[in-house]
Amino acid sequence: MCGITGWIAYDQDLTADAGARGTLDAMTRTMELRGPDAGGAWVDTHAALGHRRLAVIDIVGGKQPMLVQHDGRTQAVITYSGEVYNYRELRSELASRGHTFRTSSDTEVVLHAYLEWGEGFAERLNGMYAFAIWDARTEELLLVRDRMGIKPLYYAPTSDGVVFGSEQKAVLTHPRVPAVVDAEGLAEVLAFVKTPGHAVYKGLHEVRPGHTVRFRRGSSPAVRRYWALEAHEHTDDTATTVTRVRELLDDIVARQLIADVPLCTLLSGGLDSSAITALAAKGLGEAGRGPVRSFSVDFTGQTENFVPDDLRSTPDGPYAHALAEHVRSDHRDIVLDTATLMDRGHRRAVLTARDMPLGFGDGDTSLYLLFKAIREQSTVALSGESADEVFGGYKWFHDPASVDADTFPWIAAGVADTFGGGKSGGYAALLGKDVLDALDLPGYTEARYREALAEVPRLPGETGKEKRMREVSYLHLTRFVQILLDRKDRTSMATGLEVRVPFCDHRLVSYVFNTPWSMKTFDGREKSLLRAATRDVLPDAVADRVKSPYPSTQDPRYGEALRAELRQLAADKNAPVRQLLDEDSLSSALSEDSGSRYRGATELVLGLDAWLRGGGTELKL
């Protein structure tokens, strides 16, 4: 996995611009953590491409930017991030068509695939990827992003071209792209709704999942959708469907176990991560590469002092250990304490990785620390992320009030408020009325919901619950999952760890999306198909466990430490975030005994303040 960046300037000769290489180097340096193994740059008359590499496939030969030449002339150049899991099949097909290869990397296969099939080559790729190809023959730039949006990619059009990068920070480092956030951008941060294409910063865009964007001299960007969820009649019976899900999972996991570096799994003890770990253990064992390594996150005293709440009825530890013992994995718990979670350096690292103060508070910090510890032993990790969106695992999928509400189901279920402190009003609880009026979060959420609903593909004559559950599934697979995928990408790549997400394979996503809801819940529970498809490799206790989200520390000292920092901020009248706060709410948060009611809102305010203190970002509400 890597970081990519660069720009196109049709009205300049970049080879004659003394500052061009320095600008490219500065943009590339912002992503050193994404690619700690090597860096590269390529500059031509109108194109500058930068790359930071995390070496996973073909350690020696996969250096970038990578180019293809013919008769001494450059045909195309690529800066590439990601993994294409069917690259071996593509390589064989391309070789049969006369292509020759200098390396064994998937990057070179992708570049040759473009030269063979043109822009339509994207439909042939299976994987997670974001890359840019400069076609020197036509002087055109093509940006490509994977179907589910696992890997990020941003761009900012300029008067004579475009600036692009894996992360916002890379693009914003270019002197022609100002870092301005207006009311709509801040609303996108706070609404707990990920809008495809929205990049928060004014003038900045996200390449939408399953899309390409082509830039030509003198033309507007040409956006093309090469993949989307479609509605198809499902004709398989339940037994056949379960078998097909297992066949897909076996193939997906086998493909994603390919790596030339140490590999592991993320194991929480839930159904999703346990299924991936068990299938990985099976695949590695059959190939003589076992045992599988597995890692879990835990907090000091969490299992012993665990208190059930509305989201989590059981601690993860005992279930993770049961699965690890069942598959004989080489397992390790990463145990974190409050002092580590509250360390300002760790929280600053997360903020820098995410480019903005949104997320899950201590959940983001602990995820970053988990990945940092894993990276000491492994370079690639397989995750159970996205199974809930694919198979319908979240609690609100099964709550009629949330499903029937005329908004995003997770909003109706109060998820944002839960993470933000429940009855206090969630993330926005400490913001001033004038700020909330300017943002109009209810109106913003309503508009985004209507846009999403209008996109949903439908079967002729589909009505009632099946129609609504198709809508609910679509909303999760195109909006909610984007929040989690971005979180996982940023926190993992900030430590130089590549996280793979088997449940995002587009074949599995498309197949299960078109499976009737009655079949997805055939045993009266959540994720019926996944449970049935993998029960044979799981202990019963894990297979039957009720869904429990990613853990959050219950240590009361964490809330106390947050409140202490909030008190320091309140004493600083020059703190940049003060302009956004409601003084009465701030006083209420500081006077509360436990601080738990405003925990999420406090995490947001502290993050906003650190973001604004970081310099460069200008709020224009």
Side-chain angles (χ1 to χ4, degrees):
M1 202 55 58
C2 309
I4 68 171
T5 192
W7 80 96
I8 306 302
Y10 287 113
D11 294 342
Q12 292 179 259
D13 181 351
L14 297 179
T15 61
D17 183 345
R21 181 57 187 261
T23 296
L24 181 62
D25 288 345
M27 295 168 66
T28 305
R29 277 197 303 272
T30 67
M31 294 181 300
E32 284 183 336
L33 295 176
R34 291 188 74 92
D37 296 329
W42 181 86
V43 180
D44 200 10
T45 307
H46 302 302
L49 306 183
H51 188 266
R52 289 298 313 185
R53 187 180 185 213
L54 176 63
V56 173
I57 300 290
D58 190 358
I59 307 302
V60 176
K63 296 178 181 178
Q64 298 186 48
M66 185 179 290
L67 54 85
V68 170
Q69 293 181 318
H70 182 69
D71 292 335
R73 297 173 65 99
T74 298
Q75 292 186 295
V77 188
I78 188 172
T79 181
Y80 168 88
S81 170
E83 304 289 350
V84 169
Y85 301 121
N86 64 332
Y87 79 98
R88 290 175 171 174
E89 296 97 314
L90 291 173
R91 181 188 175 102
S92 296
E93 183 175 357
L94 288 164
S96 72
R97 292 171 176 263
H99 291 259
T100 58
F101 297 89
R102 297 178 294 104
T103 76
S104 58
S105 71
D106 57 336
T107 303
E108 189 178 16
V109 172
V110 170
L111 186 52
H112 280 270
Y114 169 77
L115 293 172
E116 177 66 31
W117 294 300
E119 192 171 337
F121 81 119
E123 284 91 327
R124 297 172 178 264
L125 306 180
N126 177 314
M128 57 178 189
Y129 45 81
F131 55 86
I133 295 177
W134 172 247
D135 192 325
R137 303 165 301 178
T138 60
E139 293 193 330
E140 296 176 351
L141 180 78
L142 183 69
L143 301 180
V144 183
R145 192 173 181 209
D146 66 67
R147 292 170 176 81
M148 290 295 290
I150 304 166
K151 293 289 107 182
L153 184 54
Y154 300 91
Y155 67 94
T158 62
S159 59
D160 70 335
V162 65
V163 183
F164 67 89
S166 291
E167 297 177 354
Q168 291 103 322
K169 66 174 69 68
V171 181
L172 296 171
T173 298
H174 194 283
R176 296 182 64 180
V177 185
V180 176
V181 176
D182 58 14
E184 181 180 296
L186 191 55
E188 175 71 14
V189 171
L190 298 177
F192 215 79
V193 176
K194 177 65 185 78
T195 306
H198 205 303
V200 175
Y201 289 88
K202 192 173 178 63
L204 198 60
H205 306 273
E206 174 193 63
V207 178
R208 292 189 61 159
H211 282 67
T212 65
V213 186
R214 183 178 287 275
F215 298 87
R216 301 179 176 90
R217 183 192 297 270
S219 300
S220 299
V223 178
R224 184 180 77 91
R225 186 184 75 185
Y226 71 88
W227 183 84
L229 287 167
E230 297 177 347
H232 301 291
E233 184 179 0
H234 187 82
T235 57
D236 294 341
D237 61 19
T238 300
T240 304
T241 300
V242 169
T243 298
R244 179 57 180 157
V245 168
R246 177 56 178 269
E247 290 172 348
L248 284 168
L249 286 173
D250 283 339
D251 180 71
I252 293 164
V253 171
R255 290 177 182 275
Q256 297 196 20
L257 289 176
I258 297 173
D260 295 333
V261 292
L263 177 145
C264 68
T265 67
L266 308 178
L267 176 61
S268 71
L271 175 62
D272 314 337
S273 64
S274 295
I276 295 300
T277 299
L279 293 175
K282 183 173 179 289
L284 291 173
E286 291 172 350
R289 296 168 55 197
V292 66
R293 287 180 174 177
S294 59
F295 293 86
S296 298
V297 67
D298 204 352
F299 305 101
T300 303
Q302 184 89 337
T303 298
E304 297 82 356
N305 303 312
F306 182 81
V307 178
D309 58 25
D310 290 340
L311 288 177
R312 304 169 183 88
S313 59
T314 54
D316 285 345
Y319 295 91
H321 295 161
L323 190 283
E325 182 178 350
H326 185 75
V327 302
R328 294 186 173 89
S329 73
D330 178 4
H331 183 74
R332 179 184 169 192
D333 291 326
I334 306 301
V335 182
L336 307 174
D337 58 26
T338 292
T340 305
L341 290 172
M342 283 301 299
D343 182 277
R344 292 193 180 189
H346 295 152
R347 287 155 55 205
R348 189 180 307 112
V350 173
L351 179 63
T352 299
R354 302 208 65 176
D355 283 328
M356 58 196 66
L358 77 166
F360 298 86
D362 75 285
D364 285 348
T365 309
S366 66
L367 194 63
Y368 165 78
L369 293 169
L370 168 66
F371 293 152
K372 187 177 181 180
I374 291 174
R375 185 61 176 86
E376 295 176 0
Q377 299 183 48
S378 292
T379 308
V380 173
L382 272 63
S383 166
E385 192 77 85
S386 305
D388 289 304
E389 290 80 7
V390 174
F391 290 98
Y394 292 118
K395 186 176 181 179
W396 51 87
F397 269 93
H398 310 273
D399 172 36
S402 299
V403 168
D404 295 338
D406 195 21
T407 188
F408 295 103
W410 58 90
I411 298 294
V415 171
D417 287 346
T418 298
F419 284 110
K423 298 177 182 178
S424 65
Y427 285 122
L430 298 179
L431 299 184
K433 183 180 183 303
D434 56 339
V435 174
L436 294 174
D437 288 344
L439 300 181
D440 185 19
L441 294 177
Y444 185 82
T445 301
E446 165 74 8
R448 302 292 82 78
Y449 175 68
R450 295 302 164 196
E451 290 172 359
L453 209 59
E455 297 173 6
V456 180
R458 307 175 192 280
L459 285 177
E462 195 171 47
T463 61
K465 186 168 186 177
E466 287 295 341
K467 175 186 176 183
R468 180 55 180 167
M469 294 314 297
R470 182 183 293 278
E471 293 173 347
V472 168
S473 295
Y474 185 88
L475 296 174
H476 281 81
L477 290 169
T478 62
R479 268 64 177 180
F480 192 79
V481 76
Q482 289 297 305
I483 299 172
L484 302 182
L485 289 175
D486 187 71
R487 169 184 181 243
K488 187 145 284 185
D489 171 85
R490 300 301 189 94
T491 51
S492 62
M493 293 306 296
T495 69
L497 178 72
E498 175 181 299
V499 174
R500 298 176 178 177
V501 279
F503 288 115
C504 277
D505 185 290
H506 69 279
R507 298 168 298 163
L508 178 68
V509 172
S510 295
Y511 184 76
V512 179
F513 175 68
N514 283 292
T515 302
W517 181 249
S518 58
M519 193 176 292
K520 292 177 186 176
T521 55
F522 74 87
D523 65 358
R525 292 195 55 191
E526 79 285 356
K527 291 185 285 196
S528 305
L529 293 175
L530 178 59
R531 182 176 296 102
T534 59
R535 181 177 281 278
D536 65 303
V537 294
L538 302 174
D540 287 342
V542 172
D544 294 327
R545 187 187 180 196
V546 175
K547 166 68 184 177
S548 182
Y550 182 83
S552 178
T553 181
Q554 293 188 349
D555 188 344
R557 291 172 295 184
Y558 180 77
E560 294 167 3
L562 282 177
R563 192 164 46 148
E565 283 201 18
L566 186 64
R567 185 171 290 107
Q568 292 177 7
L569 185 149
D572 182 1
K573 299 300 182 184
N574 295 318
V577 77
R578 289 297 294 271
Q579 62 180 316
L580 304 178
L581 304 184
D582 177 76
E583 294 298 323
D584 290 340
S585 297
L586 183 59
S587 297
S588 178
L590 291 173
S591 64
E592 190 186 38
D593 288 341
S594 68
S596 61
R597 186 176 176 221
Y598 289 91
R599 173 168 156 172
T602 299
E603 287 174 322
L604 172 69
V605 166
L606 295 175
L608 278 169
D609 192 64
W611 183 47
L612 296 174
R613 286 180 189 270
T617 298
E618 182 181 3
L619 280 181
K620 289 187 176 180
L621 304 184

